[in-house]
Amino acid sequence: MVSTKDYEKVEWLVKEFLRVIGEDPEREGLRETPRRVSRMLLDELLIGYRYDPKEFLKLFEHEEEDYYEAYGDLVIVKDVAVRSLCEHHLLPFFGYAHIAYIPTKYILGLSKFSRIVNIFSRKLQVQERLTNQIADFIMEYVKAKGCLVVIEAIHTCALLRGVKENLKLITLSTRGVFSKDQRLRSEALSLMGIGKDLIRE
Ligand SMILES: [Zn+2]
């Protein structure tokens, strides 16, 4: 849990930072800023540090002993919002995650995908690691036969700094059968509507 001391420490640091850049933290417009920033960081943007995804994820048992054996089909969840902070610049990157997996005995409720993505993205991240962590977690926790995660995101550090371009970064992680089965991987990517250049090979 975050203690009152933690909030106060961050507030103090924001106040110091305002002084360093030549601002007066006591002036009208800034007086509440350190408090707002410390709440925003600890309670929203970086809240992922406080949760263990395993603690509140409920799994559903499928009536089939093994979904893959029974159907051999995949499940795809599209457009799960990603909101994260890049660890290199502490600036936001945001976009969408698309997740495909092949369940065995367990399936995940639809709302759980947002929770998984949130827990891993609401901390300091790089997009590549975030994509891997989501794929690894689903593989391990759901005991999936395979998992494929695509994240497409805009990085404000690229937008606001040197390059000043609206570049979209697309990352892909494949696990299990998706790593071996080219047809399956292409099927998932085309169902997700991801650009053809990702399907090539
Ligand atoms: Zn960055």
Side-chain angles (χ1 to χ4, degrees), residues 78-95:
K78 261 195 79 167
D79 299 332
V80 183
V82 172
R83 306 280 181 267
S84 192
L85 278 187
C86 103
E87 70 181 19
H88 302 132
H89 305 95
L90 307 186
L91 283 172
F93 65 93
F94 58 91

Side-chain angles (χ1 to χ4, degrees), residues 94 153-155 158-159 163-169:
F94 58 91
I154 302 278
H155 289 247
L159 189 63
V163 280
K164 295 189 180 64
E165 272 195 84
N166 214 355
L167 296 175
K168 192 188 265 183
L169 182 63

